[in-house]
Structure formats: structure tokens, C-alpha cells
Amino acid sequence: MAEKLFIGGKWVKSKSGKTFTSINPATGGTIGTFQSGNSKDVGLAVRAARKAYKKWRLTPAPGRGEILFEAARLLKKNKKRLGKCVTDEMGKQISEGLGDVQEAIDVFEYMAAEGRRFFGHTTTSESPDKFAMTVRVPLGVCGLITPWNFPIAIPAWKLAPCLIAGNAAVFKPASDTPGCALELVKILSEAGVPDGVVNLVTGSGRNVGAPIVRHKGIDAISFTGSREVGEFVAANAGLKKVGLELGGKNPIIVMGDADLDLAVDGIIWGAFGTTGQRCTAASRVIVHKAVEKPLLARLLRATGKLTIGYGMKADVGPLVNQAAVEKTKAYVEIGKKEGKLFCGGNALEGNFFEPTIFTKVKPSARIAQEEIFGPVLAIITVKSLGEAITVANSTSYGLSAAIYTRDVNSAFTAIRDLEAGITYINAPTIGAEVHLPFGGVKATGNGTREAGILGLEEFSEVKTAYVDYSGKLQKAQIDE
Ligand code: UN1
């Protein structure tokens, strides 16, 4: 039986009358059948959200927080089961599947507690007997469009701040992971999110995503995904408030004084964790010439130890689908012309791909510039910290960056000069925590930060309020 859409608190079929299936990328087994939503479903979801918003926005924020705490509790209770759902539907290794759920728990708890802060400012007035302050107000109805690589965590990053701020949501998950999205929405409903406040419309980007982006009844869009789609969102959302988290080409710099064993652990995790399918994945290593040889020897050894297979059993799971395999294959062919294939390079049966490393890559090579979203790492060799930073900054993206060094001067220079929203010292490019802002510079987005205190800003706006208790007309700038 096909799963349904969730609109206005009811599980309903799509007006399209069509469905699609979600497949386990490791085993080829069917996860489930889901509704292929269309613009009519989006219209109904927006109507339900607008109606529910009227009441939800007036529910005191600590009360909204109670519901989010309950959602966190239910996620905890179901963590094991949901972690396996993540592994089965998108392929990542089970400890990462559980981490995906943990990140959702963390962000629900964090944002739930924001319900008792939600601070504005108070300040002085230039007039006597007058009070001035700012308060935060919700945006209205938000369209949330999420990717498959963190199928529970990224929807949670958006839903938790969206809800605590008093907005209603129309949520469209990636078509590779509708099952995880459904699980999350069921938990929100069970936790007490009122009917219509969160509406789920599954289906394609063309038939569901685009109508959400263009809908006049939607006030804001929060999108995480590819740069191409991000550009479409920016061009089609009109005057909606838009938050974009797009790609990355994240570098790890390894200096001559680095702890090489530590660096190798970080590179392997950064490059091949989630099979390279993170916007924060390390896809470039920029190594100082002095340690190139020993680093490569260690990397070869460590890569050789990785097991590839179904995420319940192996270190490196599959790519999400056949299109991702084809894309990775194509980049490996490009890489063979641009650098030296050092290890891996082969697609295996099913959706699996060997962890792949290219050496002697030029900073301008396509495999060093374009986001592959697969287990492909480009190694670039440099002669100084200055050159390393110039190379690190030489892509259009700027999400996360890392440096391995024992020198405090190099570390602080990197923090100052790396063009990235997130910089790690002696840690890989992945590992963001939910109470700190997450996001990037340059083509990684449009400046929005998710999670942390800034995550609330994406989903609320500031209202300025003046209270004049003088009992007479006072004119700003004009009265003496
Ligand atoms: C993403 O790569 O799409 O820091 C999000 C990390 C995770 C979030 C990544 N906590 O890698």
C-alpha cells in the first residue's frame, strides 16, 4: 500500500493519482511506495498551513517548545529504528545513520529551549517617557525543501527553528528519501504539533518543489541541495525570504608540522564518510611538500582497510543511486586526464564505488573545482602556508575548511584567511554541532546560517516597537 501525503493533519492521496518507489541503494530492495505530489497538492498544503498558522503563531513560544521537547523524546525512543531507516533508505553506514537521528534530537532540544529565550533587544529612546524594543515574529508559511544525504537531520534543522518561531511549514523531502521524512512527520504529529502546522508533500522537484518556490501563499523558502537548484530557487522565489545551503569543495590543509596520523584519520573520515556525499565532505587535500610522501603512504594504507558494502555491515556504504554512480564515474575519467590515479577509481556492482584518490592535481583541475558528491579526493601539493590558503580559496564554494598543524600562528592565520563559513583546526571538514551556526560563503549559499542562534533568524523577523507613555505627541528628530 502506498504511503500518503500529510495535509491539514490528514493522510491523503495525491491529486496526480501517481506514485513512486524509494529503493534501498545497497540492496536494491523496495523501501516503500510514495505519492507523486503535484501543484494541486501544494495548493492544498499551503491553504492548510495558512489556516493553522493563525493559531500556532499565537501559541506561546514556551508551549511550542514543550511540543519540540516531546518530539526530541520520541526521536530518542525511536533512535535505533530510525537510524536503520536512514541506512536502508540512503545508504550511509549505521553509526552515521544513528548520528543523523542524534543531530535531529540535538536540534529539537536546542530549539525547544529557545522557546524560553527568543530574545529581542530593549534600548533607550531619544524622547522622554518612551520605550523602545525589538521583538521576533514568525514569517508565516515556510517552504522547506531538503536533500537526501541527511534525511532526518537536515529536515530537523529546518523544522525545529521554523516551528519554535511560530511558522507553519510545507515540507518537500528529496525523492530518494521520502520514507525518513514520513517518519519524522509522524513523530512531530505524535508529539502534538497541531494539524496543518506541518504538511508533507512528497514528489519531484519539478512537480512539488517548483510550485512551492513560486507559490504566493508561501512567505519563505529554506533550501539545501545542489547549486543548480539553488540558483533556480533564487531566481523564482520572488520577494520571499530565501535561505540557501548549496555545495562545497572543502579543503583539508596538511602542514609540514602536522600530526600525520591524526590528519589521516580526519581525511579518511572527511573524504569517505557518507561515501563523500556531504556538502561538508573533504574533496581536496592540500599538503605541504615536506610531508607529501609519508602522508600518501599512510592514506593508501588507511584507504585499503575500508570495507565497502551495505551500511549495516561495512565502513563505506553505496552511493545514493545509479545517477550518482554515473556522475562519479565521469569525474574519475576526467581525473585520469588531470592527475594521477593513486588508488580506487572503480564502480563496483550495484551502487558501490571504491574510495578514490588522485595525486598531482592542479588547483584549477575540474576534480579540484567541481563538487562530485562521491568518494573522490584530489591531492594538491604546495610549498607554503600562503600557497595552501590561496589554493584552498581558489574555488567558487566556501562551506567548510580544515587545517592540520601544531603551529598556533598557522592555525590563526587559517581561521582569518580561509574563505569558508566553518573552519576546523586539527579536525576534518565534517562535524558541525547544532548549537553553532552552519553555512558558507561565496557560491555555497546566500549568507544564511542554519542551526545555532542564527538558525532562528532564518525563520523569524525583527519587529521594532516604540511605546510612548508621555501622553503627548513627540516627534523624533524634530522636538528639541
Ligand atoms: C551536509 O554535509 O549536508 O558537519 C550537512 C557535518 C554534519 C552536517 C553536514 N553535521 O558534516
Side-chain angles (χ1 to χ4, degrees):
M1 208 190 63
E3 301 287 355
K4 307 245 172 66
L5 307 176
F6 191 59
I7 298 178
K10 293 204 174 61
W11 294 95
V12 296
K13 284 189 180 167
S14 166
K15 297 292 175 202
S16 73
K18 293 187 187 137
T19 60
F20 67 100
T21 51
S22 171
I23 303 292
N24 178 325
T27 66
T30 300
I31 299 289
T33 305
F34 299 87
Q35 303 294 316
S36 300
N38 65 13
S39 60
K40 284 195 189 124
D41 301 316
V42 170
L44 293 172
V46 172
R47 201 191 305 162
R50 292 238 70 93
K51 188 166 163 228
Y53 168 64
K54 284 190 191 149
K55 238 174 134 181
W56 182 243
R57 107 188 150 84
L58 299 177
T59 304
R64 298 195 292 254
E66 284 300 315
I67 295 172
L68 298 200
F69 274 125
E70 179 60 10
R73 196 188 66 79
L74 290 172
L75 284 166
K76 262 186 215 162
K77 198 174 133 199
N78 289 280
K79 181 173 169 183
K80 261 201 162 147
R81 183 178 65 79
L82 293 172
K84 183 165 185 298
C85 289
V86 171
T87 295
D88 281 343
E89 197 171 31
M90 78 63 69
K92 66 174 72 170
Q93 206 266 338
I94 183 63
S95 64
E96 296 182 45
L98 293 166
D100 207 295
V101 182
Q102 187 58 47
E103 205 159 335
I105 295 167
D106 295 344
V107 76
F108 273 106
E109 285 184 343
Y110 178 85
M111 289 298 170
E114 278 307 315
R116 287 197 181 269
R117 284 185 288 261
F118 220 60
F119 295 130
H121 291 114
T122 60
T123 182
T124 55
S125 166
E126 62 189 49
S127 308
D129 299 328
K130 194 172 167 190
F131 185 82
M133 65 179 162
T134 64
V135 291
R136 288 217 158 263
V137 293
L139 304 173
V141 174
C142 302
L144 313 180
I145 305 177
T146 59
W148 46 264
N149 66 335
F150 281 80
I152 302 251
I154 293 182
W157 281 8
K158 297 188 192 301
L159 280 160
C162 173
L163 295 176
I164 197 65
N167 303 285
V170 176
F171 167 31
K172 180 232 169 304
S175 294
D176 284 300
T177 53
C180 290
L182 223 88
E183 293 290 347
L184 182 59
V185 167
K186 279 184 191 157
I187 280 181
L188 288 174
S189 175
E190 194 185 335
V193 172
D195 291 351
V197 171
V198 172
N199 303 277
L200 173 75
V201 186
T202 51
S204 68
R206 182 184 301 262
N207 294 331
V208 179
I212 288 176
V213 170
R214 294 198 177 103
H215 203 293
K216 294 271 184 283
I218 291 184
D219 303 285
I221 301 288
S222 181
F223 171 78
T224 299
S226 73
R227 180 168 170 179
E228 292 70 34
V229 177
E231 281 167 2
F232 172 88
V233 173
N236 287 274
L239 294 178
K240 295 179 179 67
K241 185 169 181 180
V242 173
L244 300 174
E245 290 296 348
L246 312 176
K249 195 68 196 175
N250 314 294
I252 293 182
I253 296 174
V254 182
M255 292 304 295
D257 63 354
D259 175 337
L260 289 188
D261 291 325
L262 184 69
V264 167
D265 285 348
I267 293 166
I268 295 288
W269 174 228
F272 303 133
T274 329
T275 322
Q277 303 170 108
R278 298 197 186 213
C279 44
T280 52
S283 49
R284 296 183 293 156
V285 161
I286 301 167
V287 58
H288 194 285
K289 204 172 179 322
V291 289
E292 182 193 17
K293 264 201 186 145
L295 183 82
L296 286 178
R298 283 171 168 82
L299 273 180
L300 191 61
R301 228 176 298 137
T303 308
K305 284 192 191 139
L306 296 172
T307 56
I308 307 167
Y310 177 30
M312 293 307 287
K313 297 178 191 144
D315 301 324
V316 181
L319 289 167
V320 68
N321 55 32
Q322 203 52 42
V325 175
E326 291 307 321
K327 183 178 174 193
T328 307
K329 258 194 206 166
Y331 272 108
V332 167
E333 289 313 309
I334 293 168
K336 283 179 186 163
K337 290 185 201 118
E338 294 179 328
K340 184 168 168 279
L341 181 62
F342 181 63
C343 65
N346 298 304
L348 306 173
E349 209 188 312
N351 292 322
F352 299 99
F353 209 100
E354 287 176 342
T356 300
I357 301 178
F358 284 96
T359 54
K360 304 207 180 319
V361 179
K362 286 211 181 75
S364 59
R366 283 185 65 191
I367 59 164
Q369 290 289 329
E370 297 171 22
E371 190 178 43
I372 302 172
F373 231 62
V376 181
L377 177 65
I379 311 250
I380 302 165
T381 306
V382 295
K383 296 198 191 74
S384 67
L385 176 65
E387 188 187 353
I389 290 176
T390 304
V391 169
N393 291 345
S394 72
T395 71
S396 57
Y397 294 109
L399 182 52
S400 71
I403 183 168
Y404 282 83
T405 178
R406 290 183 169 111
D407 183 305
V408 69
N409 298 351
S410 303
F412 273 89
T413 304
I415 292 174
R416 187 192 60 198
D417 293 343
L418 283 171
E419 292 167 5
I422 310 165
T423 300
Y424 292 93
I425 309 300
N426 293 325
T429 52
I430 66 184
E433 301 176 28
V434 305
H435 55 297
L436 285 110
F438 179 93
V441 300
K442 303 200 287 191
T444 287
N446 60 349
T448 323
R449 293 291 180 273
E450 295 194 281
I453 196 69
L454 298 182
L456 269 185
E457 283 182 12
E458 184 184 358
F459 290 99
S460 61
E461 48 202 348
V462 169
K463 179 178 281 185
T464 305
Y466 299 100
V467 182
D468 191 323
Y469 56 96
S470 69
K472 57 181 195 254
L473 174 65
Q474 303 198 83
K475 298 175 183 160
Q477 294 92 35
I478 290 165
D479 290 339
E480 295 253 308

